Amino acid sequence: MSTPYYVSPEQIRQDKEDFVSRGIAQAKEVVVLEYRDGLLMVAENPRKTTFKISEIYDRIALAAAGRIAEYEILRVAGIRESEIKGFRYYREDVTAKWLTNLYSQHMGGVAQAWDAKPLEIELLVCEVGTTDAPANSELRNNQIYHIAFDGIYSEEEKYAVIGGRATTITEILEQRYTDGLEMSAALQLITETFRTIEADAEDDYEITPQTIEVACLEQTAERRKFRRLSTDEVTTLLS
Amino acid sequence: MLDLSDYGNSDFFQILKRRHPELLATLNSSDVVSGVNVSESSFHPYEGTTVLAVVYDAGVVMAGDRQATEGYQVGERRIQKIYPVDRYSAIAVAGAAGPCIEMAKLFQVEVEFYEKTEGVSLSLEGQANFLAHLVRSNLGLAMQGLIVLPLFAGYDLKRQRGRIFKYDAVGGRYEEDDYYAIGSGGKDARTTLKKRYTPEITRQNALEIVAEALWDAADEDIATGGPDLVRKIFPTLYTVTEEGVTEVPEATVEELYRDLISRL
């Protein structure tokens, strides 16, 4: 009988973290940023039908970086669980915090399993407030949760970034972000930030209305607050 | 825990039936109580209705009265019988109020679930066909007197016109080209529509004949509510066009009825 090797828990965790960060380093970034009327979400993505940002429920959207196949199944599961919860209770009872916990438990479970590869993804679960509520109601708050590959999540304020160069982008936003930006100003801030980091990159990825994916959660919209912006709309906002 | 097993299944009704049958209170055959018929018992569910749809040059108008009856009593004066489904379709319901509202809610979730998971909208005809399955799954309760009959209408973006679908209790689905009305006052409303409808009718004329048809239905059928000028309760009217589903403002509906009354 052979003696199994001993590997310390710290070592196992470190190995998995290294493995995932090598994968995530390749992933193009998604930025979520609070603007005057809600949350603006922008990703570097030239594709027309495979999205990094998607609608989950009335006030909730999901942004993901990493392997599409791995987050696609989570996106659909999120929609399904949200619809079931909203059908069972009330649509308002479906919250980003609840969904974040579901994702977090799942991703943590996979990351800890000895016989599974950790998910090479990072998620942002976003919820927008509604203007259709009293001034001090919690229904007015915007929320952004950042979930790492191992399920560890944090609550972010004003903006959040996922993807390979998230740290660099966050540093730029720390200097340039101001409260209460209009949608066009917020979009310009994000595209300028993308241009700054692309100028330092080896591949020449040009930031144009065709090469970014833009969506928003609008506080003033009716029940379904998620909206994808067309290339034409993005062009107008940037001009 | 997050259950990933239903990936690729865009049918919310099927997922609920399998995973949460308890949430399908009435649309579930296990509810059928053998040998009982509501119409012969002393139990009176909320029912009674006139709902209708009229195709006009830019789309379709849907309308319904606001009253629910409980036996010979008024059960509810402000009930909603028209529900937007997606951006380009709406459902009107007639029958027992509880199962009607449940079916409308489930149908709306089904269509939205499909749209979000697949990334494209379910076609109008796809929606109409799916609704036939829902009606069919209520057959057990329909046989006991708790019937749900929807009227479904929308704007078909690919064919660029308004379309109306009606149903029978066994899930038969039939398309109407011009107009249709269902519910206890449906026949009275249809008589008015038959006399007043002309093809390629304008929006304003469509709203006028819809208001008149509902008036006539309320006049003849005790289970259909007319405009209530004292409480300011008016029938609900929706238009569905290329621009989407829009509710006709209450002030406009009130004006339609004041005009109509002045002409009587």
Side-chain angles (χ1 to χ4, degrees):
Chain A
M1 201 179 119
S2 63
T3 314
Y5 290 110
Y6 173 77
V7 187
S8 74
E10 288 88 349
Q11 186 61 49
I12 294 174
R13 201 186 61 191
Q14 190 60 48
D15 284 355
K16 287 184 172 174
E17 211 170 304
D18 290 348
F19 166 76
V20 171
S21 51
R22 279 196 300 277
I24 296 282
Q26 309 294 319
K28 289 284 190 190
E29 295 72 15
V30 191
V31 176
V32 173
L33 189 140
E34 197 171 61
Y35 73 107
R36 197 191 59 191
D37 301 319
L39 295 169
L40 184 68
M41 295 164 281
V42 186
E44 287 193 3
N45 182 6
R47 289 173 287 272
K48 294 281 165 279
T49 54
T50 33
F51 298 120
K52 290 160 171 272
I53 306 161
S54 40
E55 176 184 19
I56 297 289
Y57 205 63
D58 299 355
R59 294 181 294 134
I60 302 173
L62 176 72
R67 292 190 183 273
I68 294 179
E70 292 182 356
Y71 64 69
E72 166 65 9
I73 197 166
L74 294 186
R75 174 185 79 87
V76 173
I79 297 170
R80 190 171 51 237
E81 297 304 323
S82 298
E83 290 289 3
I84 291 173
K85 191 178 184 195
F87 191 82
R88 183 189 293 272
Y89 304 114
Y90 183 52
R91 297 192 76 94
E92 232 166 58
D93 298 313
V94 178
T95 62
K97 179 70 201 302
W98 164 81
L99 186 62
T100 299
N101 276 323
L102 269 188
Y103 283 149
S104 159
Q105 288 301 312
H106 175 77
M107 289 160 78
V110 176
Q112 281 165 30
W114 66 272
D115 59 346
K117 172 193 87 64
L119 297 174
E120 291 167 83
I121 54 170
E122 265 184 288
L123 304 179
L124 290 175
V125 181
C126 313
E127 176 181 315
V128 79
T130 175
T131 44
D132 191 22
N136 55 354
S137 164
E138 62 184 55
L139 285 174
R140 279 187 171 257
N141 300 344
N142 296 332
Q143 274 146 30
I144 309 170
Y145 297 96
H146 172 214
I147 316 176
F149 79 94
D150 53 3
I152 291 179
Y153 68 86
S154 55
E155 195 177 335
E156 308 286 338
E157 275 188 16
K158 300 186 195 309
Y159 50 81
V161 191
I162 48 174
R165 295 162 294 182
T167 322
T168 323
I169 295 183
T170 309
E171 279 164 10
I172 299 173
L173 287 177
E174 267 167 24
Q175 288 166 14
R176 298 189 191 166
Y177 178 83
T178 47
D179 286 330
L181 290 171
E182 300 240 349
M183 185 190 267
S184 56
L187 184 59
Q188 269 158 19
L189 169 62
I190 299 172
T191 49
E192 278 312 310
T193 309
F194 279 156
R195 282 202 187 99
T196 311
I197 57 158
E198 288 303 340
D200 301 333
E202 283 169 12
D203 61 335
D204 30 271
Y205 191 92
E206 202 190 334
I207 304 296
T208 68
Q210 284 76 31
T211 61
I212 52 171
E213 175 188 345
V214 185
C216 63
L217 283 166
E218 280 174 312
Q219 289 182 334
T220 47
E222 292 196 0
R223 180 172 64 80
R224 288 172 80 177
K225 301 200 181 280
F226 181 86
R227 186 163 69 87
R228 227 174 254 298
L229 275 70
S230 67
T231 309
D232 289 348
E233 220 172 330
V234 172
T235 311
T236 315
L237 283 171
L238 286 175
S239 61
Chain B
M1 273 316 254
L2 203 54
D3 183 345
L4 304 179
S5 61
D6 279 305
Y7 185 82
N9 185 356
S10 296
D11 184 350
F12 187 73
F13 182 46
Q14 198 184 69
I15 294 170
L16 273 193
K17 260 204 294 202
R18 200 169 48 71
R19 279 175 54 180
H20 300 283
E22 79 284 1
L23 293 181
L24 294 165
T26 54
L27 290 169
N28 199 332
S29 53
S30 65
D31 264 21
V32 176
V33 188
S34 60
V36 176
N37 192 309
V38 192
S39 54
E40 292 157 9
S41 74
S42 57
F43 165 66
H44 296 292
Y46 281 13
E47 56 189 6
T49 283
T50 304
V51 289
L52 54 87
V54 173
V55 172
Y56 70 102
D57 58 5
V60 59
V61 184
M62 282 194 105
D65 74 302
R66 304 290 295 276
Q67 181 174 294
T69 51
E70 193 180 356
Y72 293 108
Q73 306 270 308
V74 172
E76 166 71 51
R77 295 182 201 280
R78 293 172 195 273
I79 204 164
Q80 283 285 345
K81 298 175 184 177
I82 319 274
Y83 299 88
V85 176
D86 74 356
R87 226 186 132 208
Y88 302 102
S89 62
I91 179 177
V93 283
C100 274
I101 293 166
E102 185 189 3
M103 188 182 289
K105 177 180 162 188
L106 180 65
F107 182 54
Q108 190 275 324
V109 173
E110 174 82 26
V111 171
E112 192 173 315
F113 184 73
Y114 180 100
E115 182 195 323
K116 286 192 289 195
T117 53
E118 304 263 329
V120 287
S121 297
L122 183 55
S123 64
L124 190 71
E125 198 136 355
Q127 294 180 24
N129 288 341
F130 181 79
L131 186 55
H133 297 304
L134 278 187
V135 174
R136 176 64 180 80
S137 55
N138 195 51
L139 181 62
L141 284 178
M143 298 295 279
Q144 298 188 326
L146 290 173
I147 198 166
V148 178
L149 279 184
L151 187 64
F152 177 63
Y155 187 82
D156 191 325
L157 286 169
K158 289 175 193 149
R159 284 153 197 86
Q160 299 180 356
R161 61 183 166 90
R163 297 176 73 182
I164 300 171
F165 299 90
K166 64 175 182 180
Y167 297 85
D168 65 27
V170 286
R173 190 218 81 175
Y174 315 94
E175 183 163 5
E176 286 289 335
D177 289 335
D178 306 324
Y179 60 84
Y180 206 70
I182 60 166
S184 50
K187 193 163 174 288
D188 302 304
R190 287 202 300 275
T191 307
T192 305
L193 293 174
K194 188 196 288 178
K195 301 284 179 206
R196 305 273 276 118
Y197 183 82
T198 47
E200 293 298 307
I201 191 172
T202 64
R203 178 180 183 272
Q204 182 58 30
N205 286 341
L207 294 182
E208 281 167 16
I209 67 167
V210 159
E212 192 174 325
L214 280 175
W215 173 275
D216 289 340
D219 205 34
E220 297 296 327
D221 173 39
I222 50 161
T224 296
D228 186 335
L229 296 164
V230 178
R231 296 187 185 83
K232 300 264 184 212
I233 303 170
F234 296 96
T236 34
L237 275 67
Y238 280 85
T239 57
V240 193
T241 65
E242 205 177 359
E243 266 85 59
V245 179
T246 323
E247 186 169 1
V248 178
E250 206 175 72
T252 313
V253 181
E254 180 170 355
E255 211 178 292
L256 285 170
Y257 276 102
R258 294 211 182 266
D259 271 6
L260 176 67
I261 291 164
S262 70
R263 282 186 277 113
L264 289 176

